[in-house]
């Protein structure tokens, strides 16, 4: 985000996306925790029942209407996660394809960049058109993850 933002305080949207299997909340929780450490405008959008743990949501604005959340976004991070609360913990409550990030959804944004941690289920979490677009950051994002891992390993080895 730092490498591609065009304004000091970009709007970043974390959106839930459909997936046939129950996935953990580690990535969205971590992303939310990091976003809350910035002064960016941070919005989380998901269907009812997919709330994240309050300690990770922090000061983020939660919007249950995905299209409303995406209005004016500068960055869209799509990720699936399973339900968190009560008896639904770890369950898939919805596979509603209306939550797939596609060109129509991206048209609502402010020419936003698309992000996902990979691997991704194409045409379920994100359409081919979006992930293959010039605004897709999935490859640079993956490259940054490689550099981060190398830095962690280097520091671990240096401490031996």
């Amino acid at each position: 985000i730092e490498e591609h933002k065009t304004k000091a305080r970009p709007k970043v949207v974390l959106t839930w996306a459909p997936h046939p299997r129950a996935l953990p909340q580690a990535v969205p929780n971590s992303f939310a925790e990091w976003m809350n450490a910035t002064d960016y405008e941070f919005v989380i959008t998901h269907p009812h029942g997919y709330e994240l743990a309050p300690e990770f949501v922090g000061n983020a604005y939660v919007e249950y209407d995905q299209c409303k959340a995406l209005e004016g976004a500068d960055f869209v991070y799509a990720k699936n996660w399973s339900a968190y609360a009560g008896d639904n913990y770890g369950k898939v409550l919805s596979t509603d394809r209306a939550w797939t990030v596609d060109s129509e959804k991206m048209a609502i944004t402010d020419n936003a960049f698309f992000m996902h941690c990979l691997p991704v289920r194409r045409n379920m979490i994100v359409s081919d058109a979006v992930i293959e677009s010039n605004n897709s950051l999935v490859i640079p994002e993956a490259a940054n993850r490689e550099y981060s891992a190398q830095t962690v390993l280097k520091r671990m080895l240096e401490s031996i």
Side-chain angles (χ1 to χ4, degrees):
I1 293 172
E2 283 295 310
E3 294 173 17
H4 296 278
K5 69 180 185 176
T6 59
K7 53 180 104 166
R9 191 170 184 264
K11 179 178 180 181
V12 179
V13 178
L14 170 62
T15 181
W16 178 90
H19 195 282
R21 295 183 13 189
L23 297 180
Q25 299 172 348
V27 171
N29 284 342
S30 178
F31 186 77
E33 185 174 33
W34 278 101
M35 285 297 98
N36 278 309
T38 72
D39 72 341
Y40 299 162
E41 181 182 354
F42 180 48
V43 178
I44 301 172
T45 185
H46 54 75
H48 288 280
Y50 282 99
E51 288 74 14
L52 295 172
E55 61 267 28
F56 296 106
V57 172
N59 295 325
Y61 180 76
V62 177
E63 174 58 64
Y64 294 99
D65 180 330
Q66 186 189 38
C67 290
K68 188 174 178 183
L70 293 172
E71 289 175 0
D74 299 297
F75 294 87
V76 176
Y77 192 112
K79 186 69 178 107
N80 174 271
W81 61 86
S82 58
Y84 170 74
D87 293 337
N88 290 325
Y89 182 84
K91 293 183 181 174
V92 174
L93 304 178
S94 173
T95 56
D96 184 359
R97 294 284 183 99
W99 282 80
T100 299
V101 178
D102 57 21
S103 297
E104 290 76 25
K105 301 262 177 60
M106 293 300 285
I108 298 169
T109 70
D110 188 13
N111 198 33
F113 289 103
F114 175 78
M115 300 173 66
H116 188 277
C117 61
L118 299 180
V120 67
R121 285 202 182 228
R122 286 172 172 255
N123 299 309
M124 176 167 278
I125 289 180
V126 59
S127 70
D128 284 338
V130 171
I131 201 165
E132 295 293 336
S133 75
N134 290 334
N135 281 18
S136 175
L137 296 179
V138 296
I139 300 302
E141 184 179 356
N144 282 345
R145 189 168 57 243
E146 180 181 352
Y147 298 131
S148 297
Q150 289 173 345
T151 301
V152 169
L153 287 172
K154 180 179 183 278
R155 289 188 181 163
M156 287 172 59
L157 292 172
E158 288 172 342
S159 70
I160 294 178

